[in-house]
Structures are given as C-alpha cells and as structure tokens.
Amino acid sequence: MFGFLTSGKDLADPLASAKTVSLWLRQLPALDVIGRQQHVMRAFDALRLGRKEIDPARVGAIQFLDAALGTDRRQLIRQYVENAESSPKLAERLWQAIYELTQSFMTAYQAALEEALAAGNHARWKPLVPLLFTRHTHYAGTDAKLRVFRYERWIPAKWAELHRTFLRATELSVERTQTVLATAGPNATHWTMEQEYLYTLLVHQLNTGNMSPAEIDWACAQLRAWSRRLQLDPVPRSPEGFFVDIAGRTGLQRRTGTDSGSMLRYLDTSPLDDQLNRAIAALRHAEQTDQGPVGPINQIRVAILEKVRPAVAPSLVSDLRRDPRVSCKVAARVRIGLARISRELAARDVADAVPDGPGTEQIEVYAVSDAPRRRPVATPDEHDSLVASLASFSDPMWQVKDRSLAGLRIAASGGIGQSLALGGLVAVRQTDVSDWVLGVVRRLNKVSTEDVEAGVAIIADRFVPVTLHARRDAREDMGIVVNGLEVATMGSRFDGLYLPPPSRPDKPLAVKTLIVPTQEYSDGRSVILMTGRSIYTVALRHLVEQRPDWSWATIQVLEKKSRV
C-alpha cells in the first residue's frame, strides 16, 4: 500500500543499499518462502549480469539481505530434511532452492571481496574485509552440507578454492577476527573466518554414507556449536588428530606420523571429542530416567552421535566392521526397489526356491527341515548356445568390490546407480554365486556424478517373490469358490517377498517374515498368500525394519487350505 514511497530506481536495483533492499523486501510475499527466494534470485542475477559496481553501500545491502533471509534458509532446510525420504520430488525442489540461494550469496561475497582486496587499505573497505572472508566461507560450509545431504563430494578444484581463500585471510591476519552481520541483532553470535573454515572441513567428515538428511542436519548443528573451540596449528599438539594441506586439493586427513610441510595445518579434535562423549553420556542418562516421549528421541540422537564419533575422533583404534571383508572384483546383477525385485525375480521357476520332495512348500519347509537344500540344475539347450552365453553375462556397470558373511560393497558406473538411496532394498546376484541375495543399503558414497558405491547389509540369501491379497470379510450373498478360495474374501493385490528363517546373517531371525509395501502394512492385518498347493491366511505382526517404501514384518500363519 506504500508502494508510492519507493522509486522506480529502487525497484530496478534493490541491492543498491541497505535502505533499498529493506523497502524491496517488504513488497515480497510474506508467507511464500519459495516465491521470495525466486525474487531474490532474480535480483542477484540482475546484479551479476548487469555488471553493476560493487561498493560498500551494495555490500551493506547484501549483508542486510543475508541477515533477513536467515529464517527462510532454516525453514527451507527443515522442509527439505522432513521430505527427503517421503516426497523425493518436493525435496529435490527445496534442495535446489537452497543451493541456488547459497551459490548466489557466495558469488556476491566473492565479488565484493575481490573489490575490497583490490582497494587495499582504503578506509571504507578495510573494516569490511574480515566479514567478507567469513561470510563467503560460511556459504562454502552451507554448500558442503547440501552436498553431504546427497552423499556427494567436492571436486578438487572446489577444495583448492576454499584453501586459497583461507590462505589469503591468514596472509592479511584477519582469519581470527570476530565478525557479525551489521543487522543481525545485539545477541548474534560472532564468528571468525577460521571457525567457518574448520566447520566446513568437519561437515565433510559427516559424509559417512550411513546417515539420513535429518540425522546429518542435527549432527551439523552439534558440530557447529562444538567446533568453536577448535583452531588450526602450524605445529601439531599431539601425534593424533588431523591435518589439512592448505596448498592442496583435499580436505581433512587423519595423521599418519609421516605428515609434514610448511603448508600443513594441524587440527586436534580432542575438545570436540570430549563434548561428543559428554553429550552421549547425558543422553543415555536422560534415556534411563525419562520414560516419556523424549526417550525414543534420545535413543535416536545417541545413535547419530555414535555414527559421528569415528569420523571426528582424534584417533581411530577400533575396526568398525563386524565381519572380515575380502577384496574382490566380481561383476554382478543388481535390482533396486521392492517393486522391481518382485517383478523380475518372480519370473524365476518357483522350483528354484523349493526343495524337492513331496508335501514341501516354500512357506513351510525351511521352518521344519534342517537338511541341505537341493536345487535343480538347469540343462542348457545346446541349440540355443548364443542365448545361454548372453545370459551368463551380468550388468556391465555393476561390480562387487568386497564382501563378507553379512555384507557387500557394490559399485556402479555410468550413472546407473543414482537411484540408490540409504535404506533402499536391493537384490544382488554375483557372477561367481548362483543365487540372488537380498540386502539393504546401509552406507552410500557418490564418488562422482557417474560413480556410486554402496555398503549393503545382507538380510536374506533365500527369499521368494509372492503375490498377496488383502483379506476381506466374506459376504453371505457371494459364495463363489475358485481353487479352494472364496473369491469374496480376496481384496486388493500387491507384491511382497517371503523370507524363510533364518534370515539376517549377522543377527539371525528364527521366524517367518514378509517384506511388503509400507502402505500395505498395519499391525495385525490379515493377508492371503497363495502357493502352488495351498492357500494361507497370515497376519502381519511385529516390525523388523520399516522404511518409507517397504516394511519388513514377522508373520503368523492363521489358516491353511489346500488348493483344489
């Protein structure tokens, strides 16, 4: 309503000064965070494409905008982590909005920093230099966090750029100067460029591949608070800890005892490790004394900190692997997701999953027989040698790099592994092993845009795709019976995987279990499972594990009928 107070020049160039950007922000949609972000992006694009002069007044406008949008950035990140698993398309849009905003601020602060450094000791520019270094590095940390959300890693050139910026700040002796945004408020926390640099280095340490975006976001908040006591040293304080080569193209590296050089800086993370251990002890104590709704939250937070500890502890003395791994280089076939696994593996001959012998069926036999399973050997047709030869080859882009009793490390090239997700269900068939195994992605590492590695925990080396029907109450006016089953009792159809006991090699389960789509699971729900000779009514019971797209539950056989 007060638009007449704003001149056309202010609207055309909102980033001219703190006053113009303040008036401009008031005209943006107050409740539409994405819409406001798009307006801001257009303003940054106009600044960059118009090659407008960067002066201290314009830096003031960027600072004002930076402080004003702090709540927006936090809200976008919160919405992203809340939707990362349940709504991938919405999460992708939110991630892109945060990423574009981050890159725009980085570019703006970089341009302002170059102008300030070119001006030398100019009275108007000199006080701004420490802040420009700090905020530019702050957004490098935000970029790192966004990458870790998606298990991505920086390219070497990105590392080199970060290190050059830090090196330039140390040459000017401003890396430990306390700074704060001019309009951030009297209680705002002051940060130095070195603190932001260290936080960025530590964020990359969280790229362990075994945490969800929500877990990473919470862990980053803890690291940001705890890392304020850390600093880089030209001489190591202890034989343990980390170092970074500020003339190099990589991040933190754990000390080996042979590291030395004038461009190395050393980081002792003992204060951070002490804070982490105290936090774990406090959460466990609270878990024992608080039986309310906070208890499960504390358990989750302890689990997160246990995952973080090996990545930031000054020494790593324990072997994190439960079982010894054997390196290998084996081609493999991989199927991702419950739907595709069920669809493609259901085409196999059911006899492959059922031992020979009268009266045995896949849902019963493994629970009552300990005899070795006999599998029929398929005899290839000698007139179809070409087809047989082609069938023996695996997917050329998948490979198993190491394996143990309970896990595999699989790798994909050519961009085909981009659909892998933490907690995803995968089926793997190695060329030197006759059977498929079923596993869950527990660790994910996107080496590049084309190459992906994943740690897979095996949950079953015997499983059978099955067709299930929701069970409905029979109607008196419907008495049609087909193959021994009253048709009126059969509800909607969906696919699942039957896992005969024992499953999960590391902690064997001695009960029958099913994996079904999560939307089809509810405790106690009755479903109909049909085999070649029988019709079972089973109840879904306790959850073993649940993900947004699949649920693994124990089952109880309620009824069995012979098929006519």
Side-chain angles (χ1 to χ4, degrees):
M1 63 181 288
F2 299 107
F4 64 90
L5 296 176
T6 306
S7 68
K9 179 181 177 181
D10 294 337
L11 292 174
D13 188 9
L15 299 180
S17 67
K19 180 180 179 181
T20 59
V21 78
S22 174
L23 294 171
W24 176 71
L25 279 174
R26 294 175 192 174
Q27 302 177 36
L28 300 186
L31 301 178
D32 185 359
V33 178
I34 292 289
R36 193 159 49 246
Q37 177 264 351
Q38 291 173 347
H39 283 285
V40 171
M41 291 303 303
R42 284 194 287 270
F44 274 123
D45 288 342
L47 174 65
R48 177 175 53 85
L49 298 175
R51 300 183 182 276
K52 297 176 182 178
E53 180 185 2
I54 304 289
D55 57 15
R58 200 174 291 279
V59 172
I62 297 171
Q63 284 192 65
F64 187 96
L65 188 62
D66 192 354
L69 295 183
T71 302
D72 283 10
R73 292 193 298 272
R74 290 188 291 271
Q75 184 174 344
L76 286 170
I77 289 178
R78 184 178 68 252
Q79 290 176 353
Y80 167 75
V81 299
E82 290 174 353
N83 290 279
E85 294 185 349
S86 58
S87 304
K89 290 184 179 179
L90 175 58
E92 173 63 25
R93 184 185 176 194
L94 292 165
W95 186 95
Q96 195 64 36
I98 311 164
Y99 176 77
E100 290 173 354
L101 200 58
T102 299
Q103 297 305 310
S104 293
F105 272 110
M106 282 189 70
T107 302
Y109 278 122
Q110 178 66 38
L113 184 58
E114 291 173 358
E115 289 289 337
L117 295 178
N121 291 325
H122 193 283
R124 295 181 64 198
W125 278 110
K126 188 175 180 180
L128 296 175
V129 170
L131 176 69
L132 295 175
F133 272 116
T134 301
R135 295 308 294 174
H136 180 269
T137 308
H138 170 84
Y139 281 102
T142 304
D143 178 90
K145 181 177 176 179
L146 293 173
R147 302 288 185 180
V148 174
F149 278 155
R150 295 162 61 142
Y151 315 106
E152 298 175 355
R153 298 183 183 275
W154 272 3
I155 60 174
K158 188 76 173 176
W159 281 114
E161 178 187 347
L162 177 71
H163 297 328
R164 280 196 302 269
T165 304
F166 177 73
L167 184 59
R168 182 60 174 147
T170 59
E171 291 171 350
L172 297 173
S173 299
V174 298
E175 78 278 13
R176 292 180 180 172
T177 302
Q178 296 283 337
T179 65
V180 67
L181 290 170
T183 57
N187 298 322
T189 303
H190 289 63
W191 287 86
T192 68
M193 194 270 188
E194 183 183 42
Q195 289 171 336
E196 295 285 9
Y197 179 69
L198 281 171
Y199 171 70
T200 303
L201 295 175
L202 290 169
V203 166
H204 284 279
Q205 293 298 109
L206 297 184
N207 202 353
T208 55
N210 60 349
M211 290 190 286
S212 67
E215 292 173 332
I216 292 169
D217 185 49
W218 186 81
C220 283
Q222 313 316 304
L223 277 189
R224 186 155 180 82
W226 296 338
S227 64
R228 288 177 57 83
R229 298 176 55 192
L230 305 179
Q231 67 179 37
L232 290 170
D233 301 301
V235 178
R237 301 184 183 185
S238 71
E240 299 175 338
F242 299 85
F243 73 92
V244 59
D245 183 358
I246 60 176
R249 300 164 70 85
T250 58
L252 284 178
Q253 300 179 60
R254 196 172 289 278
R255 294 201 61 200
T256 60
T258 59
D259 41 84
S260 63
S262 61
M263 302 305 289
L264 300 189
R265 297 295 182 270
Y266 299 90
L267 177 63
D268 181 9
T269 56
S270 296
L272 172 60
D273 191 46
D274 291 341
Q275 289 268 21
L276 191 149
N277 289 329
R278 284 198 294 270
I280 291 177
L283 288 169
R284 284 178 172 161
H285 177 72
E287 180 184 337
Q288 295 172 357
T289 58
D290 189 348
Q291 302 300 320
V294 180
I297 296 176
N298 288 338
Q299 292 178 3
I300 293 172
R301 289 177 174 175
V302 168
I304 296 171
L305 294 179
E306 291 287 5
K307 295 176 183 178
V308 171
R309 179 159 49 187
V312 299
S315 61
L316 187 60
V317 295
S318 60
D319 186 0
L320 300 178
R321 289 175 172 172
R322 298 176 182 175
D323 302 294
R325 294 286 180 104
V326 178
S327 297
C328 60
K329 192 175 181 180
V330 178
R333 299 174 66 186
V334 175
R335 299 294 178 261
I336 303 171
L338 174 59
R340 188 175 181 192
I341 294 170
S342 299
R343 182 174 64 252
E344 296 201 14
L345 272 65
R348 298 180 303 164
D349 187 352
V350 176
D352 289 345
V354 185
D356 287 315
T360 61
E361 298 185 83
Q362 62 263 39
I363 195 171
E364 297 180 310
V365 66
Y366 300 127
V368 297
S369 175
D370 292 327
R373 295 177 294 149
R374 294 192 298 112
R375 297 182 179 277
V377 178
T379 304
D381 184 354
E382 61 181 8
H383 298 294
D384 197 10
S385 58
L386 177 59
V387 173
S389 299
L390 291 175
S392 66
F393 286 93
S394 296
D395 300 339
M397 300 297 183
W398 287 100
Q399 190 177 86
V400 176
K401 290 193 170 182
D402 65 46
R403 54 193 176 188
S404 70
L405 173 66
L408 304 170
R409 181 161 66 99
I410 61 175
S413 57
I416 64 171
Q418 297 303 312
S419 60
L420 281 175
L422 197 65
L425 202 65
V426 295
V428 182
R429 185 175 186 177
Q430 304 166 74
T431 53
D432 60 344
V433 179
S434 61
D435 297 328
W436 290 84
V437 295
L438 187 67
V440 180
V441 177
R442 301 296 189 197
R443 195 178 297 271
L444 193 59
N445 178 19
K446 294 188 177 180
V447 182
S448 68
T449 56
E450 297 291 324
D451 302 323
V452 174
E453 289 187 355
V456 176
I458 297 173
I459 61 172
D461 59 1
R462 296 177 292 170
F463 60 100
V464 184
V466 293
T467 298
L468 304 165
H469 292 269
R471 181 176 176 80
R472 298 186 301 198
D473 293 333
R475 293 173 52 184
E476 295 181 0
D477 58 338
M478 294 286 290
I480 302 175
V481 176
V482 177
N483 290 331
L485 178 68
E486 191 170 345
V487 176
T489 63
M490 295 180 64
S492 59
R493 171 179 172 173
F494 56 94
D495 294 326
L497 299 174
Y498 169 67
L499 280 57
S503 57
R504 199 171 61 182
D506 55 338
K507 295 179 180 178
L509 293 172
V511 292
K512 304 179 181 72
T513 57
L514 275 175
I515 294 179
V516 299
T518 293
Q519 66 268 22
E520 301 292 348
Y521 172 80
S522 62
D523 188 12
R525 184 186 188 189
S526 295
V527 297
I528 298 171
L529 189 158
M530 292 189 292
T531 68
R533 285 177 291 275
S534 301
I535 300 170
Y536 294 87
T537 300
V538 301
L540 302 177
R541 295 301 185 190
H542 303 295
L543 282 170
V544 179
E545 183 171 353
Q546 187 173 56
R547 296 286 176 171
D549 56 342
W550 59 269
S551 295
W552 182 15
T554 62
I555 60 172
Q556 177 186 1
V557 178
L558 302 178
E559 184 182 24
K560 174 187 174 184
K561 295 181 179 179
S562 298
R563 298 187 68 168
V564 178

